Amino acid sequence: MNLLWDVRVSLDLFLGGLGVGAFLVGVVLYYVDAKAYEGFVKKSFMVAPLLVIAGLLLLLTELGRPLNVIKTIYAINPTSFMSIGIFLQSAFVAVALLIAFKVLTSGVSALSSKIVYAGAVLAGLVGLYHGFLLSGIAKEPWNNAIPVIFFVSSILSGASLMVLFNLESLENLVARFKLPLIINMVLTLELAAVFAWVYNLALTTASSKHAYDVLISSFSMEFWVLSILMGLIAPLAIFTLVILNKLSLRTVAIPTFSIIVMGSFFLKNLVVYLGQAV
Amino acid sequence: MAKKYGMVIDLHRCVGCGACDLACKSENNTPDGIHWAFHKTETYGIFPHVSYKHTPTLCNHCEDAPCVRVCPTHAMHKTDEGFVVHDPNLCIGCKSCMLADPYGVIFYNKEHAFLDYATDDSSIVKGGTFSKKELSDKSKAPFPNFNAARGADGYEAVRRKGAVEKCTFCNHRVAQGLAPACVVACPADARIFGDLNDEKSKIATTLRAHKPTVLLPEKGTNPKVFYIRNYN
Ligand code: SF4
Ligand code: SF4
């Protein structure tokens, strides 16, 4: 396959999504009870910009002329999602770094809720942009389901990563939020979005049917096994057993939240590659 | 009315010689593997009743150009006269345009330009073979990857790596009142280039007289390269 965008683009979308998800889960806990979840919120706000920056640095290595990126400041193309996205990501990174600095130097209580709100809005827009970057190019597999799939995947993976970093507050999160139930709802939403995407590919036009054929023939392992079974269905099943009290969350937390994070990468990587394979 | 340039390729006249491909290479000095003007060929039917088709291809200078829409910096842009052209000074080398272009006519320059053709005066057999510098000095085409025409209108004349490039409809020639190099080189006069907005132009009358087709009409790009009749 002659790839124009390789794994660095997938990694940018994955790491950026992790950062956005981590930030947003931190925002939710900040507004719910900043004092009780101080440690969690602090870690979220510190990890988020680092992940987004790591993704952006990887993306820069993919560009033929990375230094010219500075020109996107004045040569704006409003019809290009990439042009808009560069702005959004820069704004988010600036705000997220400011928040991280404040949290690190003065603690969570010193944060103004206005700046957290601004960060949350920007994080949401960046999370959506990741999918629109692809759907704006309008290749058959990069259709309008992708922004939803990517956004939900980012929330899932970012939240899972932060739970992994805060295992000590697991019981508290379960007691207050019924964590497995919420995660199962989001996993179901993601499965529905992926189903809509595949259904649309399989049934719409001749070229989308071709994309579907390539998906199920050349990418079946990445799609069915790594993205769907491992990344979505297995955690859904495990958390269902947890809800039914057949398993203890503490025992399954590390592997289950880890496969959600890995599944997010495999799904995004698959979409990036599939779009170029058709 | 402003001019809007387009091209008609008469497939019935085309002999499939590839002179257009070569003329473009020579005019624009495109490096190995980069073909602003190219062709696709098809063999179809069942032996012994097989047939062959040769379709010259180039950038369609689409009215609704997806490459222009997705470019984050306006490096790929449209001029008032309908040319879709590229400015390497603005290009970040993201390749979004290549992904968005359904015709596969944009190329990525991943090689360093052969700048040693301007400086290297060593020859393999002393007095017997040209050095790189001698060759470029004598031929006045300084080195591969150098496009004098591009340099003349403010572009980067040397193709440094990391940017994309594609057919310009030879807008540097059109600005001087000349036709694109591929049009001039075609021995069968299969290519007609001109102003689509001028009702009396050869291109406009030809388009009215035939039922033109375009490549991938379902993509909705509104190409400005039209094909008439069939290759046979
Ligand atoms: S043919 Fe391709 S490169 Fe040329 S204008 Fe159309 S989309 Fe752009
Ligand atoms: S590669 Fe250059 S011309 Fe193409 S979309 Fe990116 S910046 Fe624009």
Side-chain angles (χ1 to χ4, degrees):
Chain A
M1 197 195 315
N2 183 16
L3 277 181
L4 294 174
W5 283 355
D6 64 23
V7 73
R8 286 168 294 179
V9 173
S10 323
L11 278 171
D12 168 49
L13 298 173
F14 167 66
L15 293 173
L18 271 183
V20 160
F23 189 87
L24 287 175
V25 78
V27 169
V28 170
L29 293 181
Y30 170 83
Y31 282 119
V32 169
D33 193 339
K35 248 198 175 76
Y37 299 108
E38 171 141 19
F40 196 122
V41 173
K42 191 171 178 177
K43 280 186 202 160
S44 293
F45 286 165
M46 284 172 52
V47 163
L50 299 182
L51 287 166
V52 177
I53 291 171
L56 285 174
L57 289 177
L58 274 167
L59 187 68
L60 281 183
T61 69
E62 170 83 45
L63 299 179
R65 298 188 167 190
L67 294 180
N68 275 358
V69 168
I70 200 80
K71 297 182 181 170
T72 55
I73 293 169
Y74 62 86
I76 305 154
N77 181 2
T79 63
S80 159
F81 278 109
M82 189 180 269
S83 181
I84 298 164
I86 291 172
F87 259 103
L88 287 175
Q89 303 223 51
S90 316
F92 173 69
V93 166
V95 172
L97 279 176
L98 190 69
I99 292 176
F101 177 74
K102 272 239 164 221
V103 162
L104 196 64
T105 52
S106 326
V108 173
S109 53
L111 281 177
S112 117
S113 71
K114 284 195 192 101
I115 192 159
V116 176
Y117 190 80
V121 171
L122 285 169
L125 290 172
V126 171
L128 282 171
Y129 152 70
H130 288 146
F132 277 116
L133 172 70
L134 299 185
S135 68
I137 288 179
K139 292 204 155 264
E140 294 295 346
W142 295 347
N143 58 25
N144 283 335
I146 297 299
V148 179
I149 293 177
F150 273 32
F151 187 65
V152 179
S153 181
S154 299
I155 301 288
L156 267 175
S157 57
S160 301
L161 184 76
M162 290 324 297
V163 173
L164 285 171
F165 284 169
N166 292 280
L167 284 172
E168 68 285 353
S169 39
L170 194 60
E171 260 87 47
N172 185 332
L173 289 170
V174 175
R176 187 148 186 185
F177 298 106
K178 303 209 183 335
L179 192 63
L181 203 65
I182 293 186
I183 299 242
N184 266 9
M185 280 160 59
V186 186
L187 283 167
T188 311
L189 179 67
E190 180 72 341
L191 270 171
V194 173
F195 177 73
W197 174 63
V198 175
Y199 197 76
N200 201 279
L201 282 185
L203 296 180
T204 324
T205 58
S207 38
S208 78
K209 284 180 185 164
H210 168 65
Y212 173 74
D213 289 342
V214 177
L215 172 69
I216 56 167
S217 55
S218 309
F219 293 93
S220 59
M221 171 77 181
E222 289 91 336
F223 183 61
W224 293 117
V225 181
L226 298 174
S227 307
I228 301 297
L229 198 61
M230 185 193 83
L232 298 172
I233 292 181
L236 187 71
I238 294 170
F239 286 136
T240 306
L241 292 175
V242 171
I243 294 166
L244 297 172
N245 285 326
K246 301 256 194 284
L247 278 177
S248 121
L249 182 58
R250 187 139 272 291
T251 339
V252 295
I254 295 180
T256 316
F257 285 114
S258 304
I259 56 175
I260 293 180
V261 175
M262 287 191 278
S264 171
F265 169 73
F266 286 120
L267 183 60
K268 288 181 177 176
N269 192 45
L270 158 90
V271 171
V272 168
Y273 277 55
L274 179 67
Q276 299 177 75
V278 297
Chain B
M1 198 188 290
K3 287 190 166 147
K4 183 166 287 174
Y5 286 105
M7 188 182 287
V8 166
I9 301 180
D10 185 344
L11 294 174
H12 187 65
R13 280 175 169 266
C14 174
V15 292
C17 65
C20 42
D21 299 8
L22 288 175
C24 175
K25 275 223 151 287
S26 138
E27 174 71 24
N28 297 298
N29 200 10
T30 52
D32 197 17
I34 290 185
H35 317 279
W36 291 7
F38 210 41
H39 56 268
K40 56 180 184 147
T41 54
E42 275 168 87
T43 314
Y44 55 92
I46 298 169
F47 183 81
H49 305 291
V50 280
S51 204
Y52 172 82
K53 191 174 174 186
H54 177 103
T55 310
T57 55
L58 66 161
C59 168
N60 290 286
H61 295 267
C62 306
E63 191 65 33
D64 300 313
C67 58
V68 172
R69 175 173 52 81
V70 301
C71 178
T73 60
H74 287 300
M76 197 66 86
H77 61 281
K78 214 167 170 52
T79 70
D80 295 341
E81 294 178 321
F83 298 111
V84 173
V85 285
H86 176 251
D87 180 353
N89 292 311
L90 283 176
C91 182
I92 62 171
C94 65
K95 295 173 264 181
S96 302
C97 51
M98 296 176 76
L99 286 162
D101 163 30
Y103 303 97
V105 294
I106 308 179
F107 297 86
Y108 181 65
N109 208 325
K110 51 177 185 279
E111 304 294 343
H112 274 297
F114 303 104
L115 293 172
D116 58 346
Y117 270 71
T119 51
D120 185 353
D121 54 9
S122 62
S123 49
I124 298 172
V125 179
K126 214 163 172 50
T129 52
F130 275 126
S131 70
K132 289 175 180 170
K133 182 169 170 12
E134 234 178 319
L135 183 69
S136 58
D137 287 350
K138 290 219 158 109
S139 64
K140 298 206 169 39
F143 38 83
N145 290 47
F146 181 87
N147 185 337
R150 275 184 146 197
D153 59 8
Y155 283 9
E156 289 176 0
V158 181
R159 297 176 164 84
R160 292 180 201 280
K161 73 175 207 172
V164 299
E165 55 177 83
K166 66 161 198 71
C167 154
T168 58
F169 256 174
C170 279
N171 62 341
H172 61 288
R173 290 177 57 93
V174 178
Q176 295 165 15
L178 302 169
C182 56
V183 175
V184 176
C186 178
D189 271 344
R191 291 183 182 229
I192 304 164
F193 178 82
D195 179 11
L196 295 164
N197 282 345
D198 175 0
E199 284 193 2
K200 294 198 186 85
S201 67
K202 191 169 174 203
I203 187 166
T205 50
T206 309
L207 284 172
R208 278 201 300 278
H210 293 87
K211 253 200 191 146
T213 56
V214 294
L215 296 180
L216 304 179
E218 70 279 10
K219 296 289 178 191
T221 54
N222 205 351
K224 292 285 163 283
V225 173
F226 304 90
Y227 296 85
I228 57 170
R229 305 199 284 184
N230 286 318
Y231 185 87
N232 51 28

